[in-house]
Structures are given as structure tokens and as C-alpha cells.
Amino acid sequence: MRGFRWPPPPDGGPRTWGPGPSAPRTGRPALPEPETELVATPHGVDLEQLVTGTGDPVTVFAHGLGSGIATTRPFGSGVIGRRLFFQFRGHGRSAAPTGPWTYHDLARDLRSIADRGLATRAFGASLGAGALCRLLADNPTRFDRLVFYLPAVLDRPRGDAARRRLTALLDALGSGDVGQLAEVVQLELPPAVRNTPAGWAYLRQRLDQLLRDGLGAGLVGLPESVPVRDATELVEVTAPALVIGCVGDELHPVEVAERLAAALPQATLHVYDRPGVLWAKRADLRERISSFLNE
């Protein structure tokens, strides 16, 4: 793997050095982001939302830390019915009330969008999976089908890697240095994808969104927080659940997925054998999620 380079090549393609074949130097530009809306919630925090699809069932999608609607939309591409995508507080155009925030706060955001849209099914990725756990601990019968993708934390705080990554992301945003921010964001990509047209398109989209909207300072304490004090708080959740983990992801330890699946009475666990699931196993992942939620 040749080193990451910023700024990107002017034609959007990767650069190689020395003799030999070169990868394609043109990449399809990222699609324009769809128009979203700001919706009011009962707890006074306006949240950014995107609604796609029509009919029933209705599924709500909750994103990961520092991510948003754009990164969760691929998970719903094969899911039938209406799909509700939103941004947690401090993300995108959603409000950022005075922090620090806890998983109780995130669960309220998620519950508000779900209730407003009459969602009966829920998908949570990373941070969103934690918020979903907190919501279910308080309201175990709220949904009739659940998907947890790469849960990062359950009843023990995140490790040092997550704290370092979030701190680096907030520091880079605060610096206003695009190159520094790009160096942090590119860590979200598997090494094999960096310096490829697809990698540059993803990176540009993420940078555009982060530089435009920023991130709320109230997020800084979340790596120290946990969704539930004890996994047994989820024992009354009887909805069928799919828990997806992967081996070798330091931000989403497979042990968390295993413990979550063990705590949920009707859970099925699927573990991928390497990180970068959305890039390396995209078709399989989307089919797995849609097949489960469409039942």
C-alpha cells in the first residue's frame, strides 16, 4: 500500500510511482446529497431527517459517531417500505444543545424520529447501535425487528482507540486544516481502498459534509459513556434481532457484538472475518440486512 496523499490528484484517480501498470485515473463523482428537512422533537432538539420509500414497514436508521445520513443510506437500499434516516444531535444540520451528552440523550433523538415516522423496525450502526440499546432497555417492546451493525460499546466504556480517533477528528475540525482532517477521515477506509477513485469520492463527500456542518462539542464525552449499566437490562427485548460484527476492528471489537447477541433473547449473530465490511462484502451485507428486515 502506497502512502495516503493529500490533496488528491486533480483528475480524481490514484497515483502510482515507477514503472508498471496504473489503476484507472478517473472516478465517478459522488452523487449530490438529497434534500433533507429539520424536524422538531418533544425534547426541544431539532433533528435533520431524510425520508425515502413508501408504505410499510417503516424502518429507522441510526448512524455512527461522526457519520450521518450519507453513510447509513447504503444499508437501507434493499429494505422495502419507508426508510427514515436522520442525524443525531451535534451531527449535520441537527441542533447541538449544550453538552456533554449521554446515550439517554441519543436514545431520545432516535425515539423521537421513530415515533414521529411510526417506525416498527430499527437499524443501528456503531454509536446508533448503542443508542438503540439504551432505547430498548427503557422500552423493550418498541420495535418488532432489529439490526445492530458493528456495535462499539455495551456495558463497558470504549477503548483508547475510540477516544483518540474522536479527539483527533474534533481537533482537526477545530484547526480548519483540510489536510489534517483528511488524514483523520481516511482512517475510516480500508487500506486497499485508499488512493482509489471510490476512496477519493468517499473522502471528498465526508470532508464536504464535516467542513460544512462540523460536529458538536458535546460528543467529546461519549467514548466514556455506556448505553446500559448491565447487559441484563436487555433481557425483556423479545423482537428478532440480527447482530453483525467483524474480527479485527479496533473501534468495534467483536466481543461487543458477541455479548450483545448473548444478551438479546431472540438474536442471531453474524461475524465477518475482516474489517472494512461495507467495502469488501458490500453486496453480502446489504442482502443480509434487507432479507432480515423484509421478513
Side-chain angles (χ1 to χ4, degrees):
M1 169 62 195
R2 297 178 174 91
F4 169 77
R5 303 183 70 205
W6 185 266
D11 59 9
R15 281 291 184 266
T16 58
W17 291 267
S22 172
R25 293 182 181 257
T26 59
R28 180 180 301 171
L31 294 174
E33 295 184 12
E35 185 175 347
T36 59
E37 61 180 332
L38 282 178
V39 299
T41 66
H43 55 287
V45 179
D46 290 349
L47 300 175
E48 185 179 7
Q49 176 186 261
L50 171 70
V51 180
T52 65
T54 59
D56 294 323
V58 182
T59 307
V60 61
F61 291 79
H63 63 81
L65 182 61
S67 297
I69 291 171
T71 54
T72 45
R73 286 187 68 198
F75 299 110
S77 60
V79 177
I80 61 175
R82 195 151 43 93
R83 300 174 292 276
L84 313 176
F85 302 95
F86 75 102
Q87 313 260 66
F88 281 114
R89 62 184 63 203
H91 294 77
R93 296 195 296 130
S94 292
T98 302
W101 306 323
T102 67
Y103 280 95
H104 283 279
D105 298 314
L106 301 180
R108 292 176 78 188
D109 292 349
L110 174 55
R111 179 68 187 262
S112 295
I113 294 295
D115 287 353
R116 186 178 187 276
L118 304 178
T120 59
R121 302 180 176 197
F123 169 97
S126 190
L127 176 81
L132 182 55
C133 285
R134 181 64 259 164
L135 188 161
L136 292 167
D138 297 329
N139 306 272
T141 61
R142 174 60 186 81
F143 299 105
D144 59 26
R145 215 156 188 86
L146 307 159
V147 175
F148 300 85
Y149 174 68
L150 300 185
V153 60
L154 185 58
D155 52 4
R156 304 169 192 167
R158 291 192 187 210
D160 290 339
R163 286 190 286 271
R164 288 194 302 269
R165 181 78 66 86
L166 178 59
T167 299
L169 185 60
L170 291 171
D171 288 348
L173 272 171
S175 74
D177 186 330
V178 181
Q180 181 182 344
L181 181 60
E183 290 284 353
V184 177
V185 174
Q186 60 93 22
L187 295 175
E188 300 172 8
L189 295 166
V193 177
R194 300 170 197 171
N195 280 335
T196 68
W200 285 119
Y202 172 86
L203 187 59
R204 281 195 176 93
Q205 185 179 56
R206 287 281 287 131
L207 291 176
D208 287 346
Q209 183 267 316
L210 286 168
L211 291 169
R212 182 187 68 231
D213 301 322
L215 287 173
L219 295 170
V220 72
L222 277 174
E224 309 291 337
S225 183
V226 295
V228 297
R229 288 168 295 180
D230 192 288
T232 58
E233 292 184 49
L234 301 173
V235 69
E236 295 183 13
V237 180
T238 56
L242 172 63
V243 181
I244 300 173
C246 75
V247 176
D249 187 330
E250 65 174 358
L251 296 184
H252 310 94
V254 69
E255 293 81 7
V256 176
E258 291 169 343
R259 287 192 293 112
L260 176 57
L264 294 166
Q266 299 295 327
T268 299
L269 174 67
H270 180 80
V271 176
Y272 288 95
D273 60 4
R274 57 174 174 159
V277 177
L278 190 56
W279 295 90
K281 298 288 185 179
R282 189 183 188 92
D284 180 84
L285 177 64
R286 288 163 62 176
E287 173 62 25
R288 192 173 299 278
I289 291 170
S290 61
S291 295
F292 182 82
L293 288 175
N294 290 344
E295 288 185 17

